[in-house]
Amino acid sequence: SQLPPVVQIYSVQVPGVSRTLTGLEVNTRYSISVSAANSVGSGAVTPTFIFSTLPEPPPAPESVRVVATSPTTVQLSWSAPSTWQTSQGTLQFFSIVVQGHFTVDRVPIGRTLYTVEGLAKGTRYSLSVLSHNRALASIADSSTVEATTSATVPSSPVWDDAVAISPTTVKITWRPPLDTGGLALTRYVLESSGHPSTAQISVLGGDEVQQYIRKLQPDTEYMFKLTAFNSMGESGPAHITARTMRAGGETIPVPPSPLI
């Protein structure tokens, strides 16, 4: 296309070596050259430098929607802007912003559906789809939607150890589930069983990580089953075994039972 005509001559006083050009048109291509002048006249002109002014920010995508598709993913859909001014340049690509951070830098302009992965369970997210021209992005506020990923039951607790410390007592320790399902743990249920005793069931707080199992039989192998709960339900069980000491053997000191 033909370059626009020169609209103004700018003067720079010696010893100046720079000048800010004002009054230019948005998203317009210009050519510029520089020459020196004295009282006799102007000297040779430099080679022409061609540049373009920045476009205005583009319009935002339209009809932005979001659906939580799994505990760790959401799907965004949108339409390309229906109005676009010459001053806004041309649409180059879309980008996805999650919680104020660019998650996906470039989505091709022919694509209007995107699945955001790797999110946390049971968490509310703010997501935006932005339009981009060659220099700027659209304003996020006009294309922001919110979604909450679904929560799940926790994964199984992780055993640390089960150690007999007397003929009738076993100390067991564990760590919380690696995945709490996106919710706070509400309780643990601990079940112990071993012949010839009957099963014992204890309900423990969600922040506890150890328990002393008392009133067991000497020299007996016991199985312990531990499950974790959140408001969605129960985890899978974690199992561990331990054998109590023989009667009359050396024991390890045990904390006293709580007073009732």
Side-chain angles (χ1 to χ4, degrees):
S1 61
Q2 202 170 22
L3 294 175
V6 174
V7 295
Q8 189 170 348
I9 296 175
Y10 297 88
S11 298
V12 180
Q13 299 297 320
V14 175
V17 292
S18 66
R19 173 66 186 263
T20 299
L21 307 184
T22 58
L24 304 180
E25 297 292 330
V26 174
N27 195 37
T28 302
R29 194 179 185 208
Y30 288 88
S31 65
I32 187 172
S33 58
V34 180
S35 66
N38 58 21
S39 58
V40 177
S42 298
V45 177
T46 63
T48 299
F49 174 74
I50 297 175
F51 67 95
S52 295
T53 53
L54 294 176
E56 294 177 340
E62 300 173 1
S63 303
V64 180
R65 295 181 176 85
V66 63
V67 176
T69 51
S70 84
T72 58
T73 61
V74 298
Q75 186 178 75
L76 283 161
S77 62
W78 65 90
S79 300
S82 58
T83 58
W84 199 285
Q85 305 298 323
T86 301
S87 62
Q88 295 171 320
T90 57
L91 177 61
Q92 300 290 320
F93 58 91
F94 299 107
S95 65
I96 310 297
V97 177
V98 180
Q99 303 292 65
H101 301 283
F102 279 97
T103 299
V104 182
D105 290 336
R106 286 177 177 265
V107 179
I109 58 175
R111 186 174 177 182
T112 56
L113 194 69
Y114 192 87
T115 298
V116 181
E117 301 175 331
L119 303 178
K121 296 179 181 180
T123 302
R124 189 165 186 81
Y125 285 92
S126 173
L127 307 100
S128 302
V129 183
L130 305 184
S131 303
H132 289 258
N133 56 28
R134 63 181 173 85
L136 301 172
S138 57
I139 298 173
D141 290 349
S142 60
S143 59
T144 298
V145 291
E146 293 187 338
T148 301
T149 53
S150 56
T152 65
V153 299
S155 61
S156 300
V158 181
W159 284 114
D160 272 340
D161 206 357
V163 179
I165 56 178
S166 81
T168 59
T169 303
V170 170
K171 178 185 178 182
I172 59 175
T173 56
W174 64 90
R175 285 171 282 142
L178 297 177
D179 178 6
T180 64
L183 299 169
L185 298 179
T186 56
R187 67 187 186 278
Y188 292 100
V189 173
L190 173 65
E191 181 178 343
S192 59
S193 59
H195 184 76
S197 67
T198 57
Q200 298 182 31
I201 297 178
S202 303
V203 179
L204 310 172
D207 57 350
E208 296 193 46
V209 291
Q210 70 174 27
Q211 179 74 352
Y212 290 89
I213 311 300
R214 296 177 170 86
K215 300 180 181 180
L216 304 177
Q217 297 296 317
D219 195 23
T220 301
E221 185 172 74
Y222 286 86
M223 175 178 286
F224 302 97
K225 182 178 76 172
L226 183 67
T227 54
F229 286 77
N230 61 18
S231 60
M232 294 294 293
E234 181 181 14
S235 73
H239 296 92
I240 197 170
T241 59
R243 178 175 288 276
T244 52
M245 296 177 176
R246 294 181 180 180
E250 185 177 353
T251 63
I252 301 171
V254 183
S257 299
L259 298 176
I260 299 176

